Amino acid sequence: MIMIGMGTSERQRIQIDSQAREWQRKLQRGSLQQDEMEEFGHWMAVPAHAAAYADCEWSTACVEALDQRLDPQWSGWKDEAMQRARNGAPKVEPLANWSDLVFSPTSRSRNREGSGFMKAAFAMAACLAILAFGFSWKRMTTTNVLHYQAGDATREVLLPDGTRLTLDAGTAVDYMKVGETRRLLLPSGRVYLSVSKDPHHARFVVQSGQVETVVLGTRFQVSQTADRTEVVLEEGKVRMQRPGTALFATLAPGERGWWTADASGFQTAAATPSSALAWTRGRLLFEDASLADAIVEVNRYSRHVQIELADPEVGQLKVNGSYLAGDAELVVAAWEATLPVHALHQGDRIKLVHK
């Protein structure tokens, strides 16, 4: 459980929790002005406030993840809890091991016996309380691990240490502090980081695949696929390294480095951060990209329509330009106007063929 502090009274705790929820709503709406951001920075400088905000982010991520599972036991428990809240009796029995749904790396694909809900992938349990139609969750775990996950769109996250993350669609990360090291785990996907400088010079490490990216304070992007880790540095300095080996690469601003499975070393090259980070601004920027690769990126943000290639040779065509993420049909219309392709609309699928 993330503790707010023994010296904080119950009334103060409730007030701080309320402030944390309000700050989270404002940040999600993206409506903060410069003076408000400064006010938020001062507010987060208080340890009790930072802990409450972390709990708030944690609660939101867990509720979203659990709701997406459509598990009947979770739905029934939540309905009962909400009914108790409406009746003025918010206290409910703990739902043990609910965090298995959020944390288990295989829970989406495994065949579960019965509901499978009670089989924990991690030895943890939690008690939930619902207060006046709202959730106030506290985590019980021996490691302070915060889980964040983006849905069909990108998601902005503020970590307890002040570091800002932009998670690409479908990306999930875990954040923890181990000793004096701040650590972010990225199993797959893409994340942009603006790392806050720690007054005690605590390292910030991103673990992605076989690679660790070590920073002290900088802005950069990490992408992880099944067999490739790539880092694009916008500002500051980072070091990519293979744990347990002497292999490393140090990047300067405007450079990218990557590691592929079974490689003998890191590779580096010049990069254009503004292009690589276009997705954080809701844009898809392609520079001489293959149509096949461009389709993968467009589909990542498209909720209702997916693009397919009817002919693999079409996928070798080169694509250039800036496109709005999330509107696959608009992107396809632009491609029809600039490339020798024709689109066949078939329900929730668009197939591209040679003209």
Side-chain angles (χ1 to χ4, degrees), residues 185-247:
L185 304 181
L186 174 67
S188 64
R190 182 164 56 183
V191 59
Y192 170 74
L193 303 91
S194 178
V195 179
S196 66
K197 294 184 179 180
D198 187 88
H200 304 293
H201 304 289
R203 297 194 314 163
F204 194 106
V205 178
V206 180
Q207 176 71 52
S208 51
Q210 300 175 329
V211 176
E212 286 185 343
T213 304
V214 184
V215 302
L216 288 175
T218 188
R219 295 203 298 265
F220 65 107
Q221 168 184 288
V222 180
S223 303
Q224 179 64 42
T225 59
D227 58 358
R228 180 185 174 96
T229 300
E230 180 174 299
V231 175
V232 176
L233 180 60
E234 181 181 29
E235 178 183 290
K237 187 177 182 180
V238 300
R239 184 176 70 253
M240 301 177 67
Q241 62 187 33
R242 280 293 310 278
T245 74
L247 297 174

Side-chain angles (χ1 to χ4, degrees), residues 231-307:
V231 175
V232 176
L233 180 60
E234 181 181 29
E235 178 183 290
K237 187 177 182 180
V238 300
R239 184 176 70 253
M240 301 177 67
Q241 62 187 33
R242 280 293 310 278
T245 74
L247 297 174
F248 74 94
T250 301
L251 302 183
E255 289 186 332
R256 66 187 179 100
W258 65 94
W259 172 273
T260 54
D262 302 323
S264 58
F266 288 93
Q267 299 184 64
T268 62
T272 305
S274 60
S275 300
L277 304 174
W279 64 273
T280 66
R281 304 186 297 273
R283 306 294 301 184
L284 298 177
L285 184 59
F286 301 119
E287 297 178 340
D288 208 30
S290 71
L291 181 58
D293 289 341
I295 287 175
V296 172
E297 287 297 299
V298 173
N299 284 343
R300 183 198 302 270
Y301 303 94
S302 181
R303 299 185 182 184
H304 307 297
V305 177
Q306 294 287 289
I307 307 172

Side-chain angles (χ1 to χ4, degrees), residues 8-234:
T8 304
S9 69
E10 182 66 15
R11 179 175 297 180
Q12 289 174 319
R13 185 189 65 78
I14 293 174
Q15 183 180 24
I16 291 172
D17 285 348
S18 177
Q19 293 171 351
R21 288 192 293 272
E22 182 59 29
W23 278 121
Q24 185 194 37
R25 284 193 289 268
K26 288 183 178 181
L27 287 167
Q28 288 177 337
R29 290 195 300 265
S31 59
L32 268 64
Q33 303 299 319
Q34 182 61 36
D35 58 336
E36 291 179 305
M37 288 301 300
E38 292 177 0
E39 180 185 353
F40 178 63
H42 290 306
W43 185 86
M44 280 289 287
V46 179
H49 295 175
Y53 187 86
D55 270 350
C56 193
E57 282 280 328
W58 166 262
S59 304
T60 300
C62 289
V63 170
E64 291 176 352
L66 289 169
D67 282 342
Q68 290 174 2
R69 297 304 176 99
L70 301 177
D71 188 281
Q73 185 174 352
W74 159 250
S75 299
W77 185 91
K78 189 174 73 170
D79 290 343
E80 178 186 354
M82 292 298 292
Q83 187 59 48
R84 286 176 178 267
R86 296 187 184 97
N87 294 337
K91 185 176 181 180
V92 295
E93 292 300 317
L95 183 62
N97 295 332
W98 58 270
S99 54
D100 176 48
L101 287 184
V102 179
F103 286 106
S104 173
T106 58
S107 57
R108 284 190 175 91
S109 60
R110 70 181 179 213
N111 293 321
R112 297 179 292 180
E113 297 177 11
S115 68
F117 194 87
M118 305 302 289
K119 293 185 176 181
F122 292 81
M124 60 173 65
C127 297
L128 286 76
I130 295 183
L131 302 174
F133 301 95
F135 291 92
S136 176
W137 291 28
K138 300 298 175 188
R139 205 164 36 116
M140 294 181 66
T141 173
T142 55
T143 57
N144 292 332
V145 180
L146 299 178
H147 180 79
Y148 303 97
Q149 182 166 353
D152 295 329
T154 59
R155 178 185 176 187
E156 301 291 333
V157 172
L158 181 66
L159 297 180
D161 69 344
T163 294
R164 293 183 173 278
L165 309 179
T166 302
L167 304 181
D168 202 359
T171 298
V173 297
D174 289 321
Y175 172 79
M176 68 197 75
K177 190 168 185 181
V178 182
E180 294 302 317
T181 299
R182 298 169 289 170
R183 186 171 290 272
L184 189 78
L185 304 181
L186 174 67
S188 64
R190 182 164 56 183
V191 59
Y192 170 74
L193 303 91
S194 178
V195 179
S196 66
K197 294 184 179 180
D198 187 88
H200 304 293
H201 304 289
R203 297 194 314 163
F204 194 106
V205 178
V206 180
Q207 176 71 52
S208 51
Q210 300 175 329
V211 176
E212 286 185 343
T213 304
V214 184
V215 302
L216 288 175
T218 188
R219 295 203 298 265
F220 65 107
Q221 168 184 288
V222 180
S223 303
Q224 179 64 42
T225 59
D227 58 358
R228 180 185 174 96
T229 300
E230 180 174 299
V231 175
V232 176
L233 180 60
E234 181 181 29

